[in-house]
């Protein structure tokens, strides 16, 4: 066993480092910026809980609307293919929207009175929550396109890179993209741990000062992504000069370095369908029609499914069946609803989890997710999506049991049996350590398949349209979360800011039932999708 360990480390971790290229760094910086966005997660949780009177079901609805911009990856991806040479400028647009979102939250903590004189704090929070995903989706589309550009088509001497080597590079690039994203989360978790050290001794004013500091530190996020774009431009110019110095004609050198040999013709089905999608979503969102969110989800899925059918006509039948089957399985896997914010509120109120402990959990989750991605790297490469999703579903269900047990007093029994050692915090730490590596695994094989198999001049379009489809699953998950929180009402104590009177009393009596139902749904849905895809004669990557 001891002899095999160095070989395993070399094969799964060190080899990834050896396969790293400088050209991979620009898109990785954009992914890191997205990971760093988690810096405000803990602050946002406590800000909403302590200063806003928003219910768990309303927050689930807000999560639904915040997920809709990710479906805009579809038109943005095709736009990137159409304006490939100028695509980097969109990163500046995304950076501006992200900065505006962060400044709104910093303003609510700096001078709430001035902000609320314009409109209520809840309205400002909703605006910030909607601006942020629009900024990140714009940057994410460019990052996906940059991953394709980062994998070289020719070596340092201008010779074509073999297809098998490029396939490995694409898998490595997508794995490193997840590593960069989770690495950003680990970095900010460590920073939160430092900032919230001794938080239990701080006054409310001192806590607010830290919250404000966190949002101001987060202003580094847009700058990191912009710097990644600048680095990409520098590296491309360097490679061009190197080939020209070897005696190659400048025009020929540019052609070798360009991923997109010629601009595609505008796909009016995609552009027209995207306009219809945006108009439909905005129209239904601004209307007061009952079930408008459900109508938007159904209409959005219909539009995107129609566009996928049009787009995949360019693929061979086997590749088309593989792409559709893979997308359906991952869609359902990602559409599983969560318990909602009520579980976190219960842990804060009943188990007395503070900001520092939540930062510890975040750090553990991020670090072990990175480790898990190395651990499962070969597993992802040799196993099918169906096998990976089935495995993750079973393991995830088993690892959910301790959290359900906490609601019914598991920690009280274990603490009494172990002299207080195995208490609620111990159980949650161990559970987080075991569960965290599983979250980012399922998407990597699909991303690598798209990077390797999509038509050369439509890479960004394929990334975007499949991401739009699978990201709509997150909106479906938020709707499911809303239904669960409406059927099983969970509320934390809400006080009037002026009088201190209790407006809504805390009520966690139905949280246990909510978690049991959510666990059953999360176990059954993915396996049903796998069975349906197989029965329909489709395939998966």
């Amino acid at each position: 066993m001891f002899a095999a360990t160095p070989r395993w480390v070399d094969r799964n971790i060190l080899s990834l480092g050896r396969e790293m290229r400088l050209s991979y760094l620009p898109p990785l910086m954009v992914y890191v910026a997205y990971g760093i966005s988690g810096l405000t997660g803990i602050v946002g949780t406590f800000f909403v809980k302590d200063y806003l009177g928003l219910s768990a079901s309303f927050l689930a609805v807000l999560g639904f609307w915040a997920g809709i911009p990710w479906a805009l990856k579809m038109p943005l991806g095709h736009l990137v293919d159409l304006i490939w040479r100028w695509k980097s400028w969109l990163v500046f647009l995304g950076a501006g929207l992200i900065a505006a979102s962060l400044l709104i939250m910093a303003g609510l903590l700096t001078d709430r009175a001035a902000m609320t004189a314009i409109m209520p704090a809840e309205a400002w929070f909703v605006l910030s929550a909607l601006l942020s995903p629009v900024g990140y989706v714009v940057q994410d589309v460019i990052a996906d396109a940059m991953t394709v550009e980062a994998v070289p088509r020719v070596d340092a001497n201008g010779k074509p890179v073999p297809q098998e080597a490029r396939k490995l590079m694409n898998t490595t690039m997508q794995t490193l993209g997840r590593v960069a994203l989770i690495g950003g989360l680990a970095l900010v978790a460590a920073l939160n741990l430092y900032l919230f050290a001794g938080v239990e001794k701080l006054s409310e004013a001192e806590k607010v000062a830290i919250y404000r500091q966190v949002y101001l530190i987060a202003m580094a996020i847009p700058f990191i992504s912009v710097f990644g774009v600048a680095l990409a431009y520098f590296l491309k110019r360097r490679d061009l000069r190197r080939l020209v110095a070897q005696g190659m004609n400048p025009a020929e050198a540019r052609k070798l370095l360009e991923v997109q040999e010629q601009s595609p013709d505008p796909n009016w089905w995609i552009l027209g369908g995207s306009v219809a999608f945006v108009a439909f979503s905005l129209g239904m969102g601004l209307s007061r029609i009952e079930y408008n969110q459900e109508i938007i989800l159904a209409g959005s899925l219909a539009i995107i499914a129609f566009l996928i059918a049009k787009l995949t006509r360019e693929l061979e039948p086997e590749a088309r069946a593989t792409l559709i089957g893979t997308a359906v399985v991952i869609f359902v896997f990602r559409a599983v609803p969560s318990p909602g914010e009520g579980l976190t509120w219960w842990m804060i109120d009943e188990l007395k989890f503070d900001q520092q402990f939540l930062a510890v959990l975040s750090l553990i989750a991020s670090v072990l997710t990175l480790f898990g991605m190395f651990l499962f790297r070969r597993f992802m490469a040799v196993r099918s999506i169906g096998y990976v999703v089935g495995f993750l579903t079973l393991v995830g269900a088993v690892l959910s049991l301790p959290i359900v047990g906490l609601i019914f007093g598991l920690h009280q029994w274990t603490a009494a049996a172990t002299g207080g050692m195995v208490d609620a915090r111990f159980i949650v730490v161990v559970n987080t350590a075991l569960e965290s590596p599983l979250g980012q695994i399922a998407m990597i094989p699909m991303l690598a398949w798209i990077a390797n198999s999509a038509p050369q001049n439509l890479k960004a379009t394929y990334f975007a349209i499949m991401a739009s489809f699978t990201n709509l699953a997150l909106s479906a998950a938020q709707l499911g979360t809303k239904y669960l929180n409406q059927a099983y009402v969970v509320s934390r104590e809400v006080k009037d800011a002026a009088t201190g009177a209790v407006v809504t009393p805390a009520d966690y009596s139905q949280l246990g039932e909510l978690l049991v139902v959510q666990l059953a749904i999360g176990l059954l849905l993915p396996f049903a999708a796998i069975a349906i895809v197989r029965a329909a004669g489709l395939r998966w990557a």
Side-chain angles (χ1 to χ4, degrees):
M1 183 181 71
F2 292 109
T5 299
R7 289 197 299 271
W8 182 90
V9 171
D10 180 77
R11 185 183 181 191
N12 291 279
I13 300 178
L14 299 182
S15 64
L16 190 63
R18 288 194 297 269
E19 292 165 14
M20 172 66 186
R21 292 170 171 265
L22 186 59
S23 63
Y24 297 169
L25 191 55
L28 293 181
M29 293 182 70
V30 182
Y31 286 132
V32 164
Y34 184 39
I36 296 175
S37 67
L39 177 63
T40 60
I42 293 174
V43 172
T45 296
F46 278 85
F47 180 84
V48 170
K49 179 182 179 297
D50 296 336
Y51 299 105
L52 300 178
L54 303 176
S55 67
S57 59
F58 179 87
L59 291 172
V61 171
L62 182 58
F64 169 83
W65 290 113
I68 289 296
W70 289 95
L72 293 174
K73 289 189 73 172
M74 175 176 54
L76 287 172
H78 191 54
L79 177 64
V80 168
D81 281 326
L82 295 176
I83 60 166
W84 186 265
R85 290 185 59 190
W86 314 106
K87 63 184 181 299
S88 299
W89 289 103
L90 290 176
V91 171
F92 292 87
L93 172 62
L97 294 172
I98 294 167
S101 173
L102 293 170
L103 287 173
I104 287 173
M105 295 304 297
L108 284 174
L109 291 163
T110 301
D111 195 348
R112 184 184 176 110
M115 300 282 285
T116 54
I118 301 173
M119 61 183 184
E122 287 80 5
W124 280 114
F125 176 76
V126 169
L127 177 60
S128 174
L130 295 179
L131 282 177
S132 178
V134 175
Y136 283 117
V137 73
V138 170
Q139 294 203 344
D140 194 61
V141 169
I142 305 303
D144 287 344
M146 290 170 70
T147 61
V148 178
E149 205 169 39
V151 174
R153 299 173 63 214
V154 296
D155 60 20
N157 298 316
K159 303 295 183 182
V161 176
Q163 179 65 20
E164 283 302 312
R166 294 190 68 240
K167 180 179 179 180
L168 176 61
M169 289 179 190
N170 278 314
T171 302
T172 299
M173 179 71 254
Q174 297 304 328
T175 303
L176 286 171
R178 302 303 102 184
V179 169
L181 193 154
I182 304 303
L185 289 172
L187 176 64
V188 300
L191 183 57
N192 271 319
L193 190 60
Y194 168 76
L195 290 171
F196 288 115
V199 68
E200 70 280 356
K201 301 176 183 178
L202 300 179
S203 67
E204 196 62 31
E206 290 172 323
K207 291 179 184 178
V208 170
I210 293 177
Y211 295 168
R212 181 170 58 249
Q213 184 181 2
V214 167
Y215 279 108
L216 293 177
I217 292 173
M219 288 298 294
I221 295 170
F223 290 102
I224 292 173
S225 55
V226 167
F227 186 74
V229 170
L231 179 60
Y233 176 79
F234 168 80
L235 292 177
K236 190 171 182 179
R237 299 296 299 176
R238 183 205 63 176
D239 292 342
L240 180 62
R241 286 195 299 268
R242 184 185 65 242
L243 293 177
V244 171
Q246 294 173 1
M248 191 174 294
N249 180 276
E252 183 182 353
R254 288 192 194 92
K255 186 176 180 180
L256 282 176
L257 294 175
E258 283 293 337
V259 169
Q260 193 183 77
E261 295 180 1
Q262 63 179 31
S263 297
D265 295 327
N267 187 320
W268 297 109
W269 285 111
I270 291 178
L271 295 176
S274 301
V275 170
F277 170 80
V278 173
F280 174 73
S281 298
L282 288 176
M284 292 301 302
L286 295 173
S287 73
R288 296 186 178 275
I289 298 175
E290 192 175 6
Y291 302 114
N292 61 348
Q293 296 152 36
E294 290 80 359
I295 294 172
I296 287 173
L297 181 63
S300 301
L301 283 174
I303 292 170
I304 291 179
F306 173 75
L307 293 175
I308 288 176
K310 287 287 184 182
L311 189 65
T312 54
R313 286 182 177 179
E314 299 186 22
L315 298 177
E316 295 296 325
E318 182 177 343
R320 186 187 311 122
T322 300
L323 182 61
I324 294 173
T326 299
V328 169
V329 170
I330 291 183
F331 178 91
V332 175
F333 179 70
R334 287 163 66 90
V336 172
S338 72
E341 289 296 313
L343 178 60
T344 304
W345 295 341
W346 178 81
M347 289 181 172
I348 293 170
D349 286 343
E350 301 297 324
L351 303 181
K352 306 305 178 185
F353 290 179
D354 56 22
Q355 295 92 331
Q356 187 178 27
F357 183 67
L358 292 182
V360 170
L361 293 180
S362 179
L363 181 60
I364 291 171
S366 300
V367 171
L368 290 181
T369 297
L370 280 175
F371 177 77
M373 291 177 69
F374 291 121
L375 179 65
F376 290 106
R377 185 182 173 212
R378 298 293 173 183
F379 171 77
M380 289 183 289
V382 301
R383 297 291 185 179
S384 70
I385 285 288
Y387 187 97
V388 170
V389 167
F391 171 80
L392 294 179
T393 299
L394 284 175
V395 174
V398 171
L399 293 178
S400 296
L401 293 176
I403 302 300
V404 177
L406 287 177
I407 305 298
F408 297 101
L410 173 65
H411 56 295
Q412 296 170 352
W413 177 80
T414 55
T418 60
M421 185 179 74
V422 184
D423 59 2
R425 293 196 175 203
F426 182 93
I427 292 172
V428 172
V429 165
V430 172
N431 183 261
T432 300
L434 294 174
E435 189 176 17
S436 55
L438 307 178
Q440 289 287 329
I441 293 174
M443 286 297 292
I444 293 176
M446 190 183 81
L447 294 172
W449 187 91
I450 293 173
N452 194 60
S453 303
Q456 196 66 37
N457 64 336
L458 290 171
K459 295 290 189 183
T461 301
Y462 268 75
F463 268 118
I465 201 165
M466 297 312 299
S468 295
F469 182 70
T470 53
N471 282 328
L472 274 177
L474 301 181
S475 294
Q478 290 293 343
L479 279 184
T481 302
K482 181 190 77 169
Y483 300 147
L484 286 176
N485 278 272
Q486 288 176 341
Y488 304 96
V489 178
V490 177
S491 59
R492 87 286 194 192
E493 184 178 85
V494 178
K495 294 183 178 180
D496 184 90
T499 65
V502 175
V503 178
T504 305
D507 182 6
Y508 298 111
S509 60
Q510 298 188 63
L511 182 58
E513 297 172 71
L514 187 155
L515 290 179
V516 170
V517 172
Q518 188 271 336
L519 174 60
I521 293 172
L523 184 61
L524 294 175
L525 277 184
F527 281 108
I530 291 172
I532 290 171
V533 167
R534 178 167 289 180
L538 298 172
R539 303 163 60 91
W540 43 63

